[in-house]
Amino acid sequence: MTRPLRLAAAALAASAALLLTSCGSDDDKPKDDDKIAGADQGGEKSPSPSEDAEAGAEVDRPKIELPSDLSFTFDWAKTGDKAKDAVLADREQAIQAVDLAIAEHAPTHKAVRFYYEGDAAANTQKYVQAYVKAEARTTGAYRYYDATVTADGSGAGLTYCEDQSKAYDKYLKKDKVDKGPATKNSYVLYAAKLRKNDAGVWVTTELNATRGSDKCQP
């Protein structure tokens, strides 16, 4: 995932494969095409909006409860295809899982382990750890749009845009929000790879990001 900027340098130092982003637009932003991927399974009960269409059974999912000052808008309609809609729904949960881990200062949060796997999980944990070290978290509003999804058997691909123009880093000790002006780099294009695990959950295995992509500009 990509997230606010000021902590990007610290997190990228911890893991060059992990992309952090921000609503702002300075030259200290992470470079294009950095990667993230993610984790195993685990977690407390909670229904998912994916409706477990492809799993054919109920799945125990981690509950995603975010701070009231943090919001996510997913401006993509259902495709009418059960597999593709499940991919979109599980990716929504995966996106929010990272911010939940940040908010709770828990690098190995069960929600991250549930929706990410492999090396990406380790990278995500390093990313969250950067926020823990800085005593900070994300705040503001994220918007996602222009999604294109393909699904074939147990594999899927997803591209989409993220609007970070109203998302920021919040430093808890100082109770300060690090705001910056929106620029071209506030808009990020993602290309994700997912796989359906044995529980029927679409987990993110790879995520490439291109900051300032022309495709995502308002």
Side-chain angles (χ1 to χ4, degrees):
M1 296 215 34
T2 68
R3 281 294 175 267
L5 170 67
R6 301 302 179 187
L7 293 174
L12 285 173
S15 175
L18 180 63
L19 173 66
L20 303 180
T21 67
S22 161
C23 62
S25 71
D26 306 323
D27 289 337
D28 58 343
K29 288 187 184 290
K31 298 183 184 298
D32 293 345
D33 298 326
D34 289 307
K35 295 181 179 180
I36 179 177
D40 313 326
Q41 295 196 52
E44 57 190 288
K45 287 187 177 181
S46 180
S48 165
S50 71
E51 299 173 347
D52 301 318
E54 291 300 296
E58 290 299 321
V59 177
D60 288 347
R61 295 170 180 268
K63 192 172 184 179
I64 307 293
E65 291 185 341
L66 295 163
S68 60
D69 63 346
L70 184 59
S71 67
F72 294 81
T73 300
F74 297 95
D75 285 335
W76 49 50
K78 287 189 174 182
T79 66
D81 179 282
K82 289 184 177 181
K84 292 180 180 179
D85 288 340
V87 169
L88 289 170
D90 282 341
R91 184 66 199 134
E92 289 178 14
Q93 296 297 291
I95 288 169
Q96 296 175 88
V98 176
D99 288 271
L100 174 61
I102 290 171
E104 297 188 0
H105 279 190
T108 59
H109 198 287
K110 62 186 69 177
V112 171
R113 299 197 313 271
F114 190 91
Y115 288 107
Y116 293 84
E117 66 175 21
D119 291 340
N123 290 335
T124 302
Q125 290 166 14
K126 290 176 182 178
Y127 167 71
V128 175
Q129 183 60 46
Y131 278 87
V132 174
K133 184 176 181 180
E135 297 184 50
R137 67 172 175 83
T138 51
T139 186
Y142 291 95
R143 184 173 72 90
Y144 299 87
Y145 53 102
D146 286 353
T148 301
V149 59
T150 59
D152 181 13
S154 61
L158 173 63
T159 61
Y160 60 92
C161 294
E162 180 185 52
D163 175 359
Q164 300 177 348
S165 63
K166 297 180 181 178
Y168 313 99
D169 285 329
K170 181 176 182 178
Y171 291 85
L172 304 176
K173 193 171 183 179
K174 297 180 179 179
D175 193 24
K176 177 184 177 182
V177 176
D178 186 7
K179 291 188 176 182
T183 70
K184 179 178 181 178
N185 282 337
S186 301
Y187 304 91
V188 185
L189 175 65
Y190 290 90
K193 290 183 180 180
L194 304 92
R195 77 170 190 90
K196 187 170 66 173
N197 64 18
D198 292 341
V201 177
W202 289 95
V203 295
T204 300
T205 60
E206 185 175 343
L207 184 64
N208 296 316
T210 303
R211 180 183 297 285
S213 169
D214 291 339
K215 184 181 187 306
C216 298
Q217 298 305 308

